Each structure stands twice: as C-alpha cells, then as structure tokens.
Amino acid sequence: MNAEERCQLTASHGHVESADPRSQSASRASSSIARAALAHLPDDGVVFVDSGAMAVHVAQSFAEAVTSSGTGNAAALSFVTHSIPVALELSSTAGTHVQLLGGSVNYAAQSTAGDTTLRTLALMRAKVAVIDADALTVNHGLSTDDAQQAAVKSAMVINAEKVVVLCNSARFGQEAVVSYAPLDSIDVLITDADASDEVVQKLSEHGIDVVRTDPDH
C-alpha cells in the first residue's frame, strides 16, 4: 500500500476514520482508555465530562455498554458536560440525563466556555470528573493552550470528589501554556500500555492510581 492509499479515508458506521495504521492504532488506544474509564463512574449521582476526543470515546463507550447490557445505572447518573459531541452521544441513550452547559461556543473545541459556563459549574458538585488531558508534566501538572478551556477543566476538577484523567502516553512530558490542575488533584490516571515504568512510578508517588490499558484486550 502506497502513502496515498494509507492516507485514504474510509467511512465506517457513520464516522470518518483514517486508513493510516498509525492513526488506527491511536484510535484503538483511545477507545481502550475510554472503556477503562467506565469502571470509575459512580453508581449514581453527577458526573462531569470534559471536552476532547477521548471524552467523546467515553461517551460512545457508555452508550454502547448501555445498549448491549440494558439500561443498568444509566437513569441514576446525571452527566454534565461542555462538549457538544459528548452531550449528543450520551443523550442518544434512553433514560440518561445529560446537561449541556451554556456559554460561548468554541468551534475548534466543539464545546462551550466563558463566564456563563463557569458560573453554572461553580454551583454544582459531582462525584466524578472525567478530564481529557492535552499535556502533563510532573512540575506543571495538567495544562492546555486554551485559557477558557483551562478554566472549565479547572472548575470541574475543583468541584468533583474524584478526578479521573484520560491521557495517552504521547502527552506525557508535554507542557502547554495554561496549567489548570496539579498532579495532587488527580485520583486516577488512565493511559495506554506504552507508558513507561518510570513515568508511572513518578505519578504513583503523587498518590495517583495509574491504569495502563491494552487496546488488544
């Protein structure tokens, strides 16, 4: 297969997927991380869900799990998100309560942000916050390049009893402009099998429960 064929896009189940093996591998890793996140959702109560590709994977995985096994605890959970695609995925599941936070729409992030979003989050508490990490370092914690998105992520972290972070290993050691959460605020970090033992050890020293997933299982 030549380079042009590898970069060809194929349609599957209504989604556009890359035929590039590297992209497919990354997608499998993200799906594996997302499935692992479901084990950390509470039986009931409020769950904050961040924006981002892996957050969308979590929403898709939840919808698939509910569809395959029945409603389960779907009706007992209330999801709050600023991500438009996350809200759409979750609301496709019968009985699931989803609140899309208001605010200014960021086209690139496909999410809301700004004063309205933050004022609403300030009044809420969640049992779990699921955060999609753009960058992570030991010294800088979690960071992102968008200040408005950082403010929303920070509010979710502050107002949640338990913080579950989704972060593929390629983002370890990367540092973005705006830091929004120190490592000590993270309870669980879910990553892929390529995360090094050294990085896992450093994260564990901060009291983080690190989960490495295998996309082939």
Side-chain angles (χ1 to χ4, degrees):
M1 179 181 290
N2 60 33
E4 182 178 355
E5 291 171 327
R6 284 197 300 269
C7 293
Q8 205 173 25
L9 295 179
T10 58
S12 174
H13 305 295
H15 298 283
V16 176
E17 300 176 350
S18 172
D20 187 332
R22 290 171 300 180
S23 178
Q24 291 179 346
S25 177
S27 179
R28 286 196 303 271
S30 293
S31 295
S32 179
I33 291 171
R35 288 193 300 271
L38 298 185
H40 296 277
L41 297 183
D43 293 329
D44 55 30
V46 176
V47 178
F48 292 150
V49 184
D50 193 12
S51 63
M54 278 195 288
V56 175
H57 277 295
V58 170
Q60 291 170 341
S61 296
F62 179 82
E64 290 167 3
V66 171
T67 301
S68 63
S69 62
T71 57
N73 64 338
L77 288 173
S78 181
F79 293 94
V80 176
T81 183
H82 64 130
S83 167
I84 296 168
V86 165
L88 291 173
E89 287 288 348
L90 290 172
S91 61
S92 69
T93 307
T96 303
H97 182 266
V98 183
Q99 179 177 345
L100 176 62
L101 295 166
S104 300
V105 176
N106 182 317
Y107 177 79
Q110 297 187 325
S111 65
T112 58
D115 291 342
T116 300
T117 312
L118 296 177
R119 282 197 299 269
T120 305
L121 278 173
L123 300 174
M124 307 183 79
R125 287 286 292 172
K127 286 189 174 180
V128 173
V130 178
I131 304 297
D132 191 334
D134 297 319
L136 183 151
T137 63
V138 173
N139 295 328
H140 204 45
L142 297 171
S143 59
T144 187
D145 287 328
D146 188 309
Q148 285 197 322
Q149 294 295 312
V152 176
K153 290 172 183 283
S154 177
M156 287 184 170
V157 169
I158 291 170
N159 293 320
E161 296 174 17
K162 178 179 179 181
V163 176
V164 178
V165 173
L166 317 175
C167 186
N168 67 52
S169 59
R171 296 174 181 176
F172 293 158
Q174 294 188 13
E175 194 170 282
V177 177
V178 186
S179 176
Y180 61 86
L183 291 187
D184 292 343
S185 66
I186 302 172
D187 296 293
V188 179
L189 187 142
I190 307 174
T191 187
D192 54 71
D194 291 333
S196 70
D197 292 339
E198 180 183 2
V199 169
V200 170
Q201 177 62 33
K202 287 181 179 179
L203 295 173
S204 298
E205 289 172 358
H206 284 265
I208 301 172
D209 178 13
V210 181
V211 179
R212 283 188 282 196
T213 65
D214 186 346
D216 296 324
H217 292 88

